[in-house]
Amino acid sequence: MKIRTLRARPVALLRLPVHRIAAVTLAVGTACTAMAQTASANGELLAQNLRTPSLSETVVAATRTPQPLADLVADISIVDRETIENSGATGLADLLGRLPGVEFSRNGGPGTTTGVFLRGAESRFTAVYIDGVRIDSQSTGGAPWESIPLGLIDRIEVLRGPAGAVYGSDAMGGVVQIFTKRGENGVAPYVGVGIGNHNTTKVEAGISGASGTVDYALGFARDDSKGFNARTLATQNPDRDGYRTTAGHARVGLQVDAAHRLEGTLMVNDSNSGYDSGLGKDDRNLHTMHALGLNWIAQWSSAYKTRLSITDSRDEYETRPSPYLSDTRLRGYYFQNEWRQGAHLVTAALERREDRLENAPIDAKRSQDALALGYGYNAAGHTVQLNLRHDSDSEFGGKSTGSVAYGYAITPQWRATASVGTAFRAPTLYHRFSEYGVATLRPESSRNAEVALRYAHGNSTFSTTLFRNRVSNLISFSGPGTCLSDFGCYANTARAEYKGVTFAGSHRVGDVQLHGSIDLQRPRDLDTGKQLARRAKQHATFGADTRLAGWTVGAEVQASGRRFDTVANTNVLGGYALFNLYASTRIARDYTLLARIDNLADKDYQLARTYATAGRTVYVGVKWAPQ
């Protein structure tokens, strides 16, 4: 397949003024409404794909404490299991890329190096947790997105905006909390199989349930694909770069008595994916990840609750035959106290982190100890959230962060919010101890401010969020310095600004649920004024779901403006617009059929220069789950 950079015409929509974009959005919505008018009058409407969450839902991502969304000021999206299944996404980054404020890049197909940008912030500026277990790479910096198995995820919460005063290092752009399934009363097994082009096959199976004081959930997923040629250069191997992933999870809980619960969680993933190295070799990525957590939750009184967690994670990355091995190990201890009294919530947490990196000749480690305090108030239409945290690092000393957020219910439907906060990211062990490293690097720091106006009534939700996040001491690759390499060294020489506005909403028209978002942003280097690499100034998603002759059918448009592959803005990645379709139906009492087509028009586009994307993909799957 010949790969080319898209010309300007497919992304003309994204260069229109905001009022013109709104007009085009209205036209899309009108077309979807016309389609729905042919549906059965009593057709059931399912929840919108990648939906705006209900204010009654409980979330954890904002404060690390379960709270109703109505009590929070944060900007959050929720993705449930039904949405994950309907998405047909091949990876976690593909799914998140359909949410407001989220972009991603990838060097080839699934299983290859992937970056996720929240509000334009660097990929390493997003803190990622699986069932409360922190996931990170002390080599590349940031979560290994390509090694987190989407098929085992039950729910995702995405917090946009810095949360350093709650999470400490890493949460400069946002937080992604990932949850696996928890067992409920009875026994609920499932088995699913699916096939797609590129000789793709998927198999999943699991069982969950609860009996007496014990609940459990076990799952297994296996994905295989011959893939496609990942490189567009004629000098690279014109072969198919396939992948194979095998993953499993277990979550077991014991309700000791009415006040105490013990819980253990484990997720493991092993992947093997192909790529063509710069030397023309047919190399393989070998990636192993595990996330293990042990928790004790105690409700000492109606007002006082504690949570004690011990977590362990590992990210091992190896390439063959080109020799490379990186092994990150993280250990965490977290003790949280919650005190609730009426409209008040006070939290106090102690946390210890221990990080280690083996990446020959590097064998380095560090630790961080932290105290975090929080106060929340919600009554009479007013919401206040205050957070303060101090981290003491074994290498660079102490770092304090704080945040202040306020929300006011103007009417029962309209709500205004505002917040300011600081955050930081400690240099990775690779930044400090590799041949390009400098041991005296300082933490990257940010200051964020945002305001939002939100509307929620019945089946309609709309929001507008303006944000500005400025980063100082940004670590970049600079010229020769005090490191061992003559080629160049890491240095705190850069500054960046991520600012923009996000419009998001959902609305029901007849039997059709519409949803969409538009991001207009300016991620730039403050010293050069240039656009940051692989991030667009405009990107958007629009979609619609309805019921038609016993089928749930949906359509979706994903669009992105022009990006640059380098910080110098010399290599252009053309904008693109992708059209996706999906449909599902129950073919028997316990069987569900899902069909999906992504990139219907088979557009050629690139997320990274000289790396191809999959083109049009078709997937059909069947799942058995007793009702």
Side-chain angles (χ1 to χ4, degrees), residues 409-627:
I410 304 170
T411 70
Q413 294 80 35
W414 289 95
R415 190 165 185 247
T417 64
S419 65
V420 294
T422 59
F424 78 100
R425 164 89 196 196
T428 67
L429 293 171
Y430 188 86
H431 280 151
R432 300 183 65 245
F433 298 114
S434 70
E435 63 176 311
Y436 313 105
V438 176
T440 56
L441 284 174
R442 301 183 302 279
E444 300 166 289
S445 302
S446 73
R447 294 179 178 273
N448 181 76
E450 61 185 85
V451 295
L453 183 64
R454 297 164 185 159
Y455 172 86
H457 180 67
N459 294 300
S460 299
T461 60
F462 299 99
S463 67
T464 300
T465 305
L466 290 88
F467 61 90
R468 187 188 70 181
N469 190 8
R470 286 189 171 179
V471 177
S472 58
N473 291 330
L474 185 66
I475 296 175
S476 60
F477 194 74
S478 189
T482 58
C483 67
L484 298 178
S485 172
D486 294 331
F487 183 70
C489 308
Y490 290 111
N492 294 108
T493 57
R495 299 180 303 143
E497 180 181 68
Y498 318 103
K499 69 177 181 179
V501 57
T502 297
F503 303 97
S506 62
H507 182 62
R508 179 175 176 175
V509 179
D511 290 331
V512 175
Q513 185 76 30
L514 305 173
H515 65 95
S517 66
I518 301 173
D519 285 278
L520 307 175
Q521 61 181 12
R522 191 181 182 190
R524 65 187 180 113
D525 185 312
L526 283 176
D527 295 318
T528 65
K530 295 185 181 297
Q531 188 172 327
L532 294 174
R534 300 186 180 180
R535 278 148 281 187
K537 289 185 177 180
Q538 313 97 353
H539 57 97
T541 299
F542 306 109
D545 301 328
T546 191
R547 291 282 293 182
L548 183 62
W551 288 76
T552 299
V553 295
E556 182 181 65
V557 181
Q558 294 175 258
S560 177
R562 183 183 68 168
R563 293 143 296 127
F564 295 96
D565 194 60
T566 61
V567 293
N569 288 187
T570 53
N571 297 318
V572 176
L573 299 173
Y576 59 87
L578 308 179
F579 296 88
N580 310 321
L581 300 174
Y582 80 86
S584 65
T585 188
R586 184 165 293 175
I587 56 178
R589 183 175 182 270
D590 299 328
Y591 293 85
T592 302
L593 172 68
L594 169 69
R596 184 171 180 98
I597 302 176
D598 285 326
N599 191 3
L600 179 66
D602 198 25
K603 290 291 185 180
D604 292 339
Y605 68 103
Q606 293 181 324
L607 299 174
R609 185 170 177 265
T610 77
Y611 289 91
T613 50
R616 182 189 298 114
T617 59
V618 179
Y619 176 79
V620 178
V622 177
K623 185 174 183 179
W624 170 77
Q627 301 300 308

Side-chain angles (χ1 to χ4, degrees), residues 14-313:
L14 294 175
R15 290 200 295 270
L16 295 175
V18 174
H19 70 278
R20 295 282 301 281
I21 295 177
V24 174
T25 306
L26 179 60
V28 173
T30 302
C32 293
T33 303
M35 174 188 71
Q37 290 174 348
T38 65
S40 170
N42 60 356
E44 176 188 2
L45 176 70
L46 297 185
Q48 82 176 81
N49 190 24
L50 302 177
R51 60 191 172 85
T52 301
S54 165
L55 293 179
S56 62
E57 293 196 56
T58 299
V59 296
V60 175
T63 61
R64 300 179 82 168
T65 301
Q67 289 182 273
L69 189 60
D71 292 354
L72 303 178
V73 184
D75 182 18
I76 288 181
S77 290
I78 297 173
V79 183
D80 58 20
R81 184 60 203 169
E82 182 182 37
T83 299
I84 294 173
E85 292 178 349
N86 287 340
S87 75
T90 56
L92 177 58
D94 302 79
L95 178 70
L96 297 180
R98 299 166 186 172
L99 292 174
V102 184
E103 300 171 272
F104 76 98
S105 67
R106 179 186 291 134
N107 292 355
T112 58
T113 303
T114 303
V116 173
F117 311 110
L118 264 62
R119 291 183 176 176
E122 312 302 308
S123 185
R124 66 180 181 273
F125 291 167
T126 296
V128 179
Y129 292 78
I130 300 176
D131 287 332
V133 182
R134 182 170 65 105
I135 304 297
D136 189 41
S137 169
Q138 282 296 308
S139 177
T140 60
W145 297 98
E146 62 275 12
S147 69
I148 302 175
L150 182 61
L152 299 180
I153 296 174
D154 187 62
R155 174 185 169 94
I156 306 169
E157 296 177 7
V158 179
L159 167 67
R160 289 173 289 270
V166 176
Y167 290 89
S169 177
D170 308 351
M172 290 176 62
V175 178
V176 175
Q177 285 271 13
I178 297 167
F179 302 94
T180 58
K181 186 176 182 61
R182 175 175 169 175
E184 299 177 349
N185 287 334
V187 179
Y190 70 89
V191 176
V193 295
I195 59 173
N197 55 342
H198 304 305
N199 296 105
T200 299
T201 61
K202 294 186 178 184
V203 178
E204 60 177 356
I207 187 170
S208 63
S211 177
T213 60
V214 177
D215 58 83
Y216 59 91
L218 306 173
F220 166 84
R222 174 69 178 256
D223 293 2
D224 283 276
S225 179
K226 288 189 177 180
F228 54 91
N229 185 25
R231 298 301 296 270
T232 62
L233 297 176
T235 56
Q236 299 297 327
N237 295 333
D239 62 340
R240 301 175 71 173
D241 299 299
Y243 65 90
R244 179 180 68 251
T245 65
T246 305
H249 88 92
R251 184 171 181 175
V252 180
L254 172 64
Q255 194 68 42
V256 180
D257 55 33
H260 297 272
R261 173 179 170 83
L262 300 176
E263 185 178 78
T265 65
L266 173 66
M267 178 184 283
V268 295
N269 183 67
D270 182 81
S271 64
N272 184 324
S273 61
Y275 75 100
D276 295 326
S277 71
L279 301 176
K281 295 182 180 180
D282 184 16
D283 280 298
R284 308 295 299 180
N285 292 313
L286 307 179
H287 216 147
T288 301
M289 182 275 295
H290 83 239
L292 171 67
L294 301 174
N295 304 283
W296 170 30
I297 301 98
Q299 188 75 54
W300 299 100
S301 69
S302 59
Y304 180 51
K305 181 180 181 180
T306 62
R307 181 185 187 95
L308 177 63
S309 301
I310 301 175
T311 62
D312 184 271
S313 70

